């Protein structure tokens, strides 16, 4: 068994039900955990924690849950349609990086820790280049049409700290702590005048953090 075949077999074994959703002659080449953001669509949600799978034909987000009921998430972009792949790094986000993939009609954002994003970027580029080479061979044989070579790049996205995910996370965590301290102070002293203001401050902070997170999901810096 070749290294590619062995790796494909491991992915199929690891991801339950994946084999049933592959196209004819489609071979999984790489998968990493991440967050797939394909915008509002048929699945009714913007961001989805899932496995990011790269095959010889597509890149897609995949998640299959069976409890309490079976639910499948699968959103894909064919390699042959991709014209832009950008590795994006935002200020004030020390852990996560972002991969932007576009076919000219829609944009998909993949978020994951730096090491995994780099693996996905390299794996996707290799898969697209292999797909392009096969397409070029088909053109030489008169069996298909030529395709456009995608543009690859890296982007530094400068985001003010107060609008960053790190600031939102700190605000949310701080709000929860204020609520907990307020409840504890109220119980220990029996005085609402001491505990209630802390609870209110915490509730306000959490509410603002939730609103900011939703706004962050709606507004994304455009590709340069």
């Amino acid at each position: 068994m070749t290294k590619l075949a062995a790796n494909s077999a491991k992915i199929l074994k690891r991801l339950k039900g994946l084999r049933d959703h592959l196209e004819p002659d489609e071979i999984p080449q790489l998968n990493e955990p991440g967050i797939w953001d394909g915008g509002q669509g048929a699945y009714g949600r913007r961001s989805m924690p899932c496995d990011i799978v790269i095959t010889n034909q597509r890149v897609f987000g995949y998640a299959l849950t069976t409890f309490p009921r079976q639910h499948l998430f699968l959103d894909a972009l064919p390699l042959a349609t991709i014209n832009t792949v950008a590795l994006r790094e935002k200020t004030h986000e020390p852990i996560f990086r972002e991969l932007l993939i576009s076919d000219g009609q829609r944009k998909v954002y993949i978020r994951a820790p730096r090491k995994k994003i780099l693996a996905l970027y390299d794996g996707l580029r290799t898969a697209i280049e292999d797909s392009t080479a096969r397409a070029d061979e088909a053109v030489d044989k008169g069996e298909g049409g030529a395709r456009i070579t995608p543009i690859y790049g890296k982007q530094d996205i400068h985001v003010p700290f107060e609008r960053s995910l790190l600031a939102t996370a700190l605000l949310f965590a701080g709000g929860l702590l204020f609520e907990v301290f307020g409840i504890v102070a109220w119980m220990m002293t029996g005085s609402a005048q001491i505990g209630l203001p802390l609870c209110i401050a915490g509730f306000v902070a959490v509410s603002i953090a939730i609103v900011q997170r939703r706004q962050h999901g709606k507004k994304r810096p455009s590709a340069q």
Side-chain angles (χ1 to χ4, degrees), residues 197-219:
L198 292 174
C199 290
I200 293 175
F203 176 78
V204 171
V206 169
S207 299
I208 293 174
I210 292 174
V211 171
Q212 288 183 345
R213 180 64 185 88
R214 289 176 178 174
Q215 290 176 345
H216 178 82
K218 294 178 181 179
K219 298 179 181 179

Side-chain angles (χ1 to χ4, degrees), residues 16-17 20-21 62-73:
K16 182 179 180 181
D20 298 332
H21 303 286
Y62 176 83
L64 178 65
T65 57
T66 57
F67 183 83
R69 64 179 185 276
Q70 183 166 305
H71 176 74
L72 170 69
F73 172 85

Side-chain angles (χ1 to χ4, degrees), residues 110-141:
I110 298 172
R111 289 176 53 78
R114 182 178 182 274
K115 185 176 180 180
K116 297 187 181 301
I117 277 291
L118 290 176
L120 288 169
Y121 177 81
D122 292 338
L124 180 58
R125 183 163 186 169
T126 298
I128 291 175
E129 290 174 351
D130 290 344
S131 176
T132 301
R134 293 193 300 269
D136 291 341
E137 290 178 1
V139 171
D140 293 339
K141 297 177 181 179

Side-chain angles (χ1 to χ4, degrees), residues 161-219:
F161 178 76
E162 63 273 12
R163 292 174 52 194
S164 68
L165 285 177
L166 177 59
T168 300
L170 292 175
L171 183 63
F172 184 82
L176 291 180
L177 287 176
F178 267 107
E179 291 185 3
V180 171
F181 290 155
I183 293 173
V184 171
W186 196 338
M187 293 177 62
M188 293 184 64
T189 64
S191 173
Q193 292 181 342
I194 296 176
L196 187 58
L198 292 174
C199 290
I200 293 175
F203 176 78
V204 171
V206 169
S207 299
I208 293 174
I210 292 174
V211 171
Q212 288 183 345
R213 180 64 185 88
R214 289 176 178 174
Q215 290 176 345
H216 178 82
K218 294 178 181 179
K219 298 179 181 179

